[in-house]
Amino acid sequence: QVQLVESGGGSVQAGGSLRLSCAASGTILSINGMEWYRQAPGKQRELVATITSGGSTNYADSVKGRFTISTDNAKKTMYLQMNSLKPEDTAVYSCYAQIRDYTRTYRDYWGQGTQVTVSS
C-alpha cells in the first residue's frame, strides 16, 4: 500500500516562509511525476506546481518566483519551499503523485492535506 504524507504546514505572517514536505512510502517501483495542489475555502482546487521524474518544473502564475518545488529521489520526498507568503496563499495544500506500485501499473495517489494560513 502506498501512502503520501504531507507535513510542514502552519501559520505564518505575510512575507514569511514555510517548507512543505510530501513523503511517499510503501511498495513504489517508480514515480512518474509529483504535484502540489491547494484549495482555499469556497474556491476550486488549484494546481500550484509540478515536477516530472526528469526534474522539469512548472508553476502557477500566482506563485512563480516565490515557490520552489523539488524532490529528493532517494527519500521519495517532494518539497515545496514557499517564500514571500501572502494572505491569498492561505489554503489546504495537498500532494499528488503518479506512482507505479505493486500492481506494476501507474496509479494516482493523494496526500491528506496540510493547512497553510498566512495572516496580514
Side-chain angles (χ1 to χ4, degrees):
Q1 187 77 350
V2 172
Q3 280 190 316
L4 298 180
V5 178
E6 297 111 335
S7 61
S11 297
V12 66
Q13 288 193 327
S17 298
L18 285 173
R19 189 176 84 150
L20 305 183
S21 300
C22 172
S25 62
T27 304
I28 298 170
L29 302 182
S30 62
I31 300 176
N32 196 32
M34 300 185 81
E35 301 173 348
W36 284 102
Y37 287 81
R38 68 184 181 186
Q39 187 165 21
K43 293 188 177 181
Q44 287 191 330
R45 187 170 60 195
E46 174 189 19
L47 176 60
V48 176
T50 67
I51 186 165
T52 68
S53 57
S56 297
T57 59
N58 200 12
Y59 298 91
D61 288 342
S62 57
V63 306
K64 277 181 183 175
R66 299 188 298 122
F67 291 10
T68 303
I69 189 172
S70 62
T71 56
D72 182 330
N73 293 329
K75 295 182 179 178
K76 295 185 176 60
T77 300
M78 173 176 66
Y79 304 97
L80 186 68
Q81 178 66 43
M82 305 185 295
N83 298 328
S84 302
L85 282 162
K86 304 175 180 179
E88 50 263 43
D89 294 319
T90 295
V92 174
Y93 285 71
S94 300
C95 62
Y96 159 85
Q98 194 176 55
I99 295 174
R100 189 166 179 245
D101 59 17
Y102 69 98
T103 64
R104 298 190 175 276
T105 61
Y106 281 101
R107 300 204 294 180
D108 298 335
Y109 286 92
W110 290 89
Q112 81 286 359
T114 185
Q115 177 70 46
V116 171
T117 302
V118 184
S119 59
S120 57

